[in-house]
Amino acid sequence: MLIDSSTGRMVARSATAGTSGDRPARGSEYAVLLRRVRHAGLLDRQSRYYLWKSAVTVGAYVAGWAAFLVIGNSWWQLGVAAFLAVVFAQIAFLGHDAGHRQIFAGRRANYWYGVIAGNLGIGVSIGWWVSNHNRHHAHPNTEGSDPDVMGVLAHSGDRARTGRGFRRVIFRYQAWLFFPMLLLEAGSLHFASVRAVLRWKIPHRGWEAALLAAHAAGYLAAVLLVLPPGKAVVFIAVQQGLFGFYMGCTFAPNHKGMEVLAEGSSVDFLRRQVLTSRNVRGGRLVDAALGGLNYQIEHHLFPSMPRPNLRRAKPMVEQFCVELELPYCETSLLDSYRRALHHLDTVGRLARPLPAAVAGSAAAEQRRGG
């Protein structure tokens, strides 16, 4: 059996397919791929990479705030705001890697790296993020299970049709609103983090709350001591807005427009991860800009694989998908946005009301039938 990538339904394999002695049985397919990846050493830690990556990122963080203090009361600070937005995103990528235990072998070291990078560095709770993100990885693009498809946007026709009030308006025009709404993403991350440390039973909640408070106090104190209130507000709006926009742009290509699975779907792990994920082509610049998330298929199949190994794993995973006749989606960055927006627009149209003439005709027909 295969899965139709357009419907997610099981379809019969051709009579000649599956007769090769090399093709593994359904239950062992992922295990076969895992053995190949492990044998190639692609799950081994990459301490040297993360050492220099962390050093460069921390250096950029310090340099950005040093420039902020030197420039002082000037509108040139908006350039610093844009630079720090990029640096914040790069720190978030490192926190993401730590949350997946890609950096260190031990859970504790990864956690505290994530707390320093996330809570203290950029004001995002690593405890909240890990809990939220693990649910996404377990059930990507699955209605009722993946928090990333249960937010403000509709990713399936069923959800679009059930929208009411203001949410229905957002669903209708979500393709047009998508990029503008990303400017609010950082605020959403901060809000969710604060709510989590106040209400959720996350590990080390006291420490997480203290470091979130330390970040907020230090950030606001620095900005308000250097800039007058008006410029301070503009600086914060630009820096946080661009930080959220950047983060949203790195997430958009990964799953939007890919298969959306029904709640309770029994699709196996390998196909669930591959069919719902999309890779983005590009060189080292794209790798750095997207924090390795451009290898989304490989990342979802092997979440603990260190970021620099994802590029090396790609040909192996792609070849394995060919062996299984399993669609492997990869496209350019711009085309990934086009596909994502097209999907959001297609789904959003299902939330739009009938035109007045059609609605009137339908009402008249109903009255005649009554």
Side-chain angles (χ1 to χ4, degrees), residues 193-244:
S193 296
V194 172
R195 181 178 58 186
V197 298
L198 292 177
R199 299 182 181 178
W200 291 16
K201 293 182 179 180
I202 58 176
H204 309 290
R205 187 166 64 171
W207 275 107
E208 293 225 12
L211 291 175
L212 281 179
H215 169 82
Y219 182 96
L220 294 175
V223 173
L224 293 173
L225 286 173
V226 172
L227 298 176
K231 286 181 181 175
V233 170
V234 175
F235 177 89
I236 293 172
V238 171
Q239 196 273 325
Q240 292 291 311
L242 291 180
F243 167 43

Side-chain angles (χ1 to χ4, degrees), residues 56 61 118 136 167 179 189 195 264 269 285 364:
V56 169
Y61 187 82
H136 161 68
R167 175 160 291 189
F179 283 113
L189 294 174
R195 181 178 58 186
F269 177 81
L285 180 60

Side-chain angles (χ1 to χ4, degrees), residues 54-270:
S54 299
V56 169
T57 305
V58 170
Y61 187 82
V62 172
W65 284 113
F68 176 81
L69 295 175
V70 170
I71 292 173
N73 183 9
S74 168
W75 286 111
W76 286 106
Q77 293 284 21
L78 297 185
V80 177
F83 175 78
L84 284 174
V86 174
V87 175
F88 271 41
Q90 291 297 320
I91 293 175
F93 294 148
L94 288 171
H96 166 272
D97 292 0
H100 281 297
R101 305 180 198 170
Q102 297 177 16
I103 302 177
F104 303 102
R107 178 198 300 256
R108 186 178 182 85
N110 280 299
Y111 174 76
W112 285 107
Y113 185 104
V115 166
I116 293 171
N119 295 58
L120 184 60
I122 61 175
V124 176
S125 165
I126 191 68
W128 162 77
W129 179 85
V130 167
S131 175
N132 195 70
H133 196 61
N134 283 350
R135 287 189 291 150
H136 161 68
H137 267 264
H139 303 282
N141 270 25
T142 303
E143 291 283 2
S145 300
D146 181 0
D148 289 0
V149 297
M150 295 159 54
V152 70
L153 302 177
H155 295 268
S156 69
D158 289 343
R159 188 153 193 266
R161 295 185 190 94
T162 60
R164 295 292 181 270
F166 184 64
R167 175 160 291 189
R168 184 179 180 87
V169 175
I170 293 178
F171 289 170
R172 291 179 198 171
Y173 305 106
Q174 59 184 8
W176 295 96
L177 295 173
F178 177 69
F179 283 113
M181 286 195 300
L182 292 184
L183 295 170
L184 304 176
E185 179 65 19
S188 175
L189 294 174
H190 297 317
F191 174 77
S193 296
V194 172
R195 181 178 58 186
V197 298
L198 292 177
R199 299 182 181 178
W200 291 16
K201 293 182 179 180
I202 58 176
H204 309 290
R205 187 166 64 171
W207 275 107
E208 293 225 12
L211 291 175
L212 281 179
H215 169 82
Y219 182 96
L220 294 175
V223 173
L224 293 173
L225 286 173
V226 172
L227 298 176
K231 286 181 181 175
V233 170
V234 175
F235 177 89
I236 293 172
V238 171
Q239 196 273 325
Q240 292 291 311
L242 291 180
F243 167 43
F245 186 84
Y246 185 178
M247 293 302 296
C249 286
T250 64
F251 299 148
N254 302 336
H255 301 284
K256 290 176 175 58
M258 298 302 295
E259 190 71 45
V260 177
L261 304 177
E263 187 172 4
S265 171
S266 60
V267 177
D268 65 273
F269 177 81
L270 175 66

Side-chain angles (χ1 to χ4, degrees), residues 282-310:
R284 300 289 181 180
L285 180 60
V286 173
D287 290 1
L290 299 187
L293 298 179
N294 46 315
Y295 301 107
Q296 192 68 194
I297 295 174
E298 290 71 29
H299 172 58
H300 262 258
L301 287 172
F302 309 102
S304 65
M305 180 180 288
R307 191 194 310 181
N309 289 348
L310 295 171

